[in-house]
Amino acid sequence: MTGPYDDIISLPHPTSAKHPRMPLSDRAAQFAPFAALSGHSAALAETARLTDQRMELDEDARAALDLKQQLLLERIKEWPEITVTWFQPDAKKDGGRYIVSTGRLKRIHEVDQVLVLADGLRIPIGDIVELESECIRGLL
C-alpha cells in the first residue's frame, strides 16, 4: 500500500535549534476548555436565591408596636434586652428576609426612625414586625 506521505513518514521529528520543545503539560493546557460563560453560574445562583416578601402590618399590630416602643422608651436608661423580628430588604432583587435580633436597647433614634442596640446594630422602626422584652411583658 502506498500513500502520498510515504516519503516523509519515516523521517525523524524535526527539532528547532532556537526553541526548546514544549512540555506535554503545557501543550495540554492549550486545548483545555475555557470559561466562555464566566459569571453565568453566579447569575443562575442569584436568580435561584429565594427572598421573602414584606408583610404589611394592620393598624392594630402597628398600634401595639408603637405602644411597646413607648414603654421601652420609658425604660431606656435600664438598657432593656429586646428581641426584634424585622425585615431586611435585599440589595439585589425584590423582597428580602426576616431577621430575629436580640440585644440590649441603647436608644431609640426618633429622627432617623431606628432602634440602636448596644452592639451598634441599627434596626429601622418601619421594618419591625415583632418586638418583645421582659421589662414590658407584664405591662401589656
Side-chain angles (χ1 to χ4, degrees), residues 3-138:
Y5 300 107
D6 285 343
D7 59 334
I8 62 169
I9 200 80
S10 61
L11 293 177
H13 189 296
T15 54
S16 171
K18 294 181 180 180
H19 304 290
R21 196 161 185 175
M22 182 183 285
L24 287 178
S25 60
D26 291 345
R27 288 186 63 185
Q30 288 182 335
F31 301 103
F34 65 98
L37 297 174
S38 64
H40 182 67
S41 61
L44 285 177
E46 176 62 25
T47 303
R49 186 171 57 86
L50 297 177
T51 58
D52 295 324
Q53 294 301 314
R54 182 190 299 259
M55 292 187 306
E56 292 299 325
L57 298 179
D58 61 11
E59 289 183 29
D60 293 336
R62 183 57 57 197
L65 276 176
D66 290 343
L67 177 61
K68 289 178 182 180
Q69 288 174 22
Q70 288 299 323
L71 292 172
L72 285 171
L73 189 58
E74 293 171 5
R75 297 177 175 259
I76 197 75
K77 291 182 181 178
E78 301 170 14
W79 285 37
E81 182 154 339
I82 62 171
T83 300
V84 183
T85 304
W86 58 289
F87 183 78
Q88 183 181 46
D90 194 287
K92 296 183 178 181
K93 58 197 287 189
D94 287 340
R97 64 185 179 133
Y98 283 94
I99 299 173
V100 177
S101 301
T102 300
R104 297 235 172 247
L105 180 62
K106 184 175 179 181
R107 75 185 283 209
I108 298 175
H109 198 280
E110 294 180 19
V111 174
D112 292 340
Q113 290 290 300
V114 294
L115 299 181
V116 181
L117 301 185
D119 63 0
L121 179 64
R122 298 171 62 89
I123 302 172
I125 291 175
D127 293 336
I128 297 173
V129 294
E130 186 60 46
L131 178 61
E132 293 295 325
S133 179
E134 284 292 323
C135 73
I136 62 172
R137 190 166 289 154

